Amino acid sequence: GAVVSQHPSWVICKSGTSVKIECRSLDFQATTMFWYRQFPKQSLMLMATSNEGSKATYEQGVEKDKFLINHASLTLSTLTVTSAHPEDSSFYICSARDGGRPRDTEAFFGQGTRLTVV
Amino acid sequence: AQSVAQPEDQVNVAEGNPLTVKCTYSVSGNPYLFWYVQYPNRGLQFLLKYITGDNLVKGSYGFEAEFNKSQTSFHLKKPSALVSDSALYFCAVRDPTTSGTYKYIFGTGTRLKVLA
């Protein structure tokens, strides 16, 4: 089946630094990728949608300058949290759509990244 | 506005008993409906989906879900629960008319605890 690999699984960074999270589709071409944020014991909040080769579309309330999303290839999207602060600590999950499958195919999710800003 | 409701934060069930995790939605038209499961510190794993056709859909690990259009519900069920089913379950919908976006709307999640 389709595999989405997210790296790193967890990361600790100092306040003020930037951290990059990678999301790769291992065996399919991900025409669309999604980035979610999940707070403890809460649902997934969609942050942005990115299509390969174009700028990401951010959800209302998400700071595009703080959460930089790049989808430069059909197998890789990155989320960079810039100038991270403790309130950015969260669980970040990516998902990807296989452009070669029918429209009703489910999205495939990465394993998630636990970010802790100290 | 489009929304998904999972009215129960937690469901407890004894091992071997049937389980139901509830989901209702508010989306115009004929949405696609999904169930995902999440284990601690992991991403979401797909369980099953309803697109069209038979209202009862079967999925992974013995789970099934029943689509009820009149009640706008898509409850997840399993005839006999296992301790290993203990996890966080998310219901999600996608509006197929929003072409090109493929955005999902997730419920708040229901924690299932199966007691030995």
Side-chain angles (χ1 to χ4, degrees):
Chain A
V3 179
V4 176
S5 177
Q6 195 172 332
H7 178 81
S9 298
W10 58 270
V11 59
I12 301 173
C13 70
K14 291 185 176 181
S15 186
T17 62
S18 295
V19 62
K20 180 184 288 187
I21 302 170
E22 293 186 347
C23 180
R24 292 181 185 273
S25 57
L26 299 186
D27 50 4
F28 66 96
Q29 294 186 329
T31 50
T32 308
M33 284 188 168
F34 306 86
W35 287 95
Y36 295 86
R37 183 173 179 177
Q38 186 180 26
F39 293 97
K41 298 185 179 180
Q42 293 191 27
S43 187
L44 283 73
M45 290 181 53
L46 179 65
M47 298 175 67
T49 302
S50 71
N51 292 296
E52 185 265 338
S54 60
K55 290 185 177 181
T57 302
Y58 289 81
E59 295 298 302
Q60 192 172 6
V62 178
E63 299 176 62
K64 61 178 68 176
D65 294 332
K66 181 167 188 61
F67 298 100
L68 301 179
I69 292 172
N70 183 282
H71 192 168
S73 79
L74 282 171
T75 59
L76 174 65
S77 177
T78 60
L79 166 67
T80 301
V81 183
T82 62
S83 186
H85 291 283
E87 57 265 29
D88 299 324
S89 299
S90 192
F91 194 60
Y92 294 88
I93 306 175
C94 72
S95 74
R97 178 182 175 269
D98 183 347
R101 299 196 187 202
R103 290 172 54 88
D104 60 11
T105 303
E106 62 277 10
F108 304 104
F109 285 79
Q111 310 96 309
T113 297
R114 171 76 57 194
L115 170 63
T116 302
V117 184
V118 298
Chain B
Q2 300 176 339
S3 64
V4 177
Q6 292 181 245
E8 302 153 317
D9 289 338
Q10 181 161 321
V11 169
N12 295 329
V13 63
E15 186 174 32
N17 282 4
L19 68 87
T20 299
V21 182
K22 296 180 180 177
C23 172
T24 58
Y25 63 91
S26 175
V27 177
S28 59
N30 299 307
Y32 297 162
L33 301 161
F34 303 83
W35 275 102
Y36 285 86
V37 60
Q38 185 183 33
Y39 295 96
N41 292 311
R42 303 289 293 175
L44 274 64
Q45 295 179 31
F46 169 74
L47 281 179
L48 49 79
K49 65 183 176 184
Y50 174 83
I51 304 299
T52 187
D54 194 348
N55 289 345
L56 184 65
V57 293
K58 295 186 182 297
S60 306
Y61 312 119
F63 284 93
E64 57 190 30
E66 186 167 12
F67 170 64
N68 187 318
K69 187 169 184 177
S70 63
Q71 297 185 3
T72 61
S73 67
F74 189 55
H75 301 331
L76 180 70
K77 300 181 180 183
K78 187 173 182 180
S80 179
L82 300 172
V83 173
S84 57
D85 292 330
S86 299
L88 186 59
Y89 290 80
F90 287 101
C91 180
V93 302
R94 181 159 74 78
D95 183 352
T97 63
T98 54
S99 61
T101 64
Y102 301 96
K103 289 171 62 172
Y104 284 71
I105 302 169
F106 284 90
T108 49
T110 298
R111 188 163 300 281
L112 174 66
K113 191 170 185 179
V114 181
L115 308 170

